[in-house]
Amino acid sequence: MAFVTTKEMLKEAQKGRYGIGAFNANNMEIIQAIVETAEEEKAPVILQASQGAIKYAGLDSIVAMVKVMADKVNIPVALHLDHGTDYYQNIKCLRAGFTSLMYDGSKLLFDENVGMTKKVVEMAHACDIPVEAELGQIGKMGDSDEPGVALEKVKESMAVPEEAAKFVELTEIDFLAAAVGTIHGCRTPFAKLDIPRIEKIRELTGVPLVLHGASGVNDNEVRKGIAAGICKINIDTRIRMIFTKKMKEMLEENPNQIDPRKILGPAKDASKEIIRDRMRVFGCSGKA
Ligand code: G3H
Ligand code: ZN
């Protein structure tokens, strides 16, 4: 099935009260793992590329890999720009064939964020491409950060529901990534979602909500988040952890191995299991 836009997918998810996994596409094996698992699970899926991944793999290479793999399967596949802090990166992704964009102006003042987001929305909507934007600040765990301290910090930068309503109205974005308690890069699921805040934002904005930093959220909280209005669930760290753990194990067990395929193949297979597990928890398995 050819690429589809994220808009259709998330509207369905919003109606059906389930979440769609948005998995970060960092290399060929991870892209294969995501698409193959989605096909096996009959799940609609979003592959997303960050600016870092684009720098690493090349914009055209990412689009080509995802397109070729999406064409071979019978499920809806979307390709999304993740945390596009750069306006020009959004233009390049639109031109390259991404089926949704994210303008991340969360580090800007409210009015500046509105202004820049609006510019991206005008351009993207002219091409029928939806846009996600961020409000509040979803921080990132540093290697030496204490979970307790990080959680305290998170409380100071959550999205305010009334501001979210204004933001959505002024920018006309399609999906909102609101800071609601998560932190990027958590290696254990210790984050706490602010469920009443999610419900209020959902009620005031009406748009599908996006949960960033979902590696740090346990299954029970994720399900509560979905019931409250989360439709797109971003996962990167958990796949990275499992992929590299398997690579290390393979190298330790076979120190003389020089065939990268024998190291990366099992890492891909291990990634498929966590992706499958996430899809089942999000409730999108069987929805394609
Ligand atoms: O934008 C990407 C995600 O929010 C991934 O977060 O690495 O904590 O899973 P994560
Ligand atoms: Zn994120």
Side-chain angles (χ1 to χ4, degrees):
M1 187 183 273
F3 272 175
V4 300
T5 82
T6 316
K7 189 161 185 165
E8 289 278 291
M9 248 186 221
L10 293 183
K11 282 281 168 210
E12 283 300 305
Q14 193 177 39
K15 257 195 267 154
R17 297 237 162 197
Y18 57 89
I20 295 189
F23 302 99
N24 282 74
N26 287 318
N27 63 11
M28 183 187 76
E29 286 78 8
I30 292 177
I31 295 174
Q32 287 172 331
I34 299 166
V35 177
E36 283 175 21
T37 311
E39 166 86 328
E40 288 159 14
E41 287 296 301
K42 306 251 169 303
V45 72
I46 300 166
L47 289 96
Q48 51 184 16
S50 65
Q51 291 179 166
I54 290 169
K55 201 167 166 203
Y56 172 76
L59 181 61
D60 293 340
S61 306
I62 291 184
V63 176
M65 283 191 283
V66 176
K67 250 189 181 148
V68 165
M69 292 180 212
D71 280 345
K72 280 197 271 190
V73 293
N74 239 333
I75 44 147
V77 176
L79 177 59
H80 175 78
L81 169 63
D82 187 30
H83 292 289
T85 51
D86 181 22
Y87 173 68
Y88 295 101
Q89 183 70 73
N90 273 272
I91 298 180
K92 287 177 193 165
C93 288
L94 181 65
R95 185 169 183 265
F98 277 51
T99 58
S100 53
L101 301 176
M102 176 180 186
Y103 179 71
D104 176 358
S106 59
K107 294 217 165 65
L108 305 175
L109 295 173
F110 182 84
D111 289 345
E112 290 169 356
N113 191 1
V114 168
M116 288 304 296
T117 304
K118 252 175 114 165
K119 275 175 70 171
V120 173
V121 169
E122 274 166 19
M123 169 183 71
H125 282 185
C127 307
D128 289 327
I129 293 296
V131 178
E132 172 185 334
E134 182 167 325
L135 195 67
Q137 279 191 14
I138 305 158
K140 192 172 170 31
M141 280 297 279
D143 285 345
S144 54
D145 285 352
E146 282 292 323
V149 179
L151 283 183
E152 278 310 305
K153 249 170 81 187
V154 158
K155 290 187 190 151
E156 295 160 17
S157 52
M158 290 206 209
V160 176
E162 290 70 22
E163 279 184 9
K166 207 169 149 202
F167 186 73
V168 171
E169 193 195 327
L170 291 171
T171 59
E172 296 179 49
I173 52 166
D174 303 274
F175 331 116
L176 178 67
V180 289
T182 53
I183 317 169
H184 289 107
C186 299
R187 296 182 186 202
T188 52
F190 64 81
K192 274 247 145 283
L193 295 183
D194 187 335
I195 299 293
R197 188 179 299 262
I198 299 173
E199 284 168 346
K200 192 77 197 162
I201 294 174
R202 158 87 183 95
E203 183 197 317
L204 295 182
T205 66
V207 294
L209 304 179
V210 181
L211 187 66
H212 281 248
S215 294
V217 186
N218 72 39
D219 295 355
N220 202 24
E221 288 273 301
V222 167
R223 290 192 189 99
K224 284 197 251 168
I226 293 168
I230 299 288
C231 301
K232 172 174 177 274
I233 305 171
N234 290 8
I235 297 277
D236 186 11
T237 300
R238 282 217 205 170
I239 301 176
R240 289 180 187 217
M241 284 170 68
I242 281 167
F243 193 89
T244 49
K245 181 171 178 270
K246 195 64 183 178
M247 277 173 62
K248 283 181 203 154
E249 279 169 16
M250 296 311 292
L251 283 165
E252 271 160 25
E253 283 166 25
N254 312 282
N256 294 324
Q257 183 57 261
I258 59 153
D259 184 345
R261 294 168 299 187
K262 301 262 162 60
I263 301 155
L264 296 170
K268 170 192 146 185
D269 292 341
S271 307
K272 287 181 71 170
E273 291 323 305
I274 183 68
I275 294 166
R276 188 183 317 286
D277 180 63
R278 290 302 81 201
M279 286 173 165
R280 290 182 184 179
V281 170
F282 302 163
C284 57
S285 288
K287 298 286 197 251

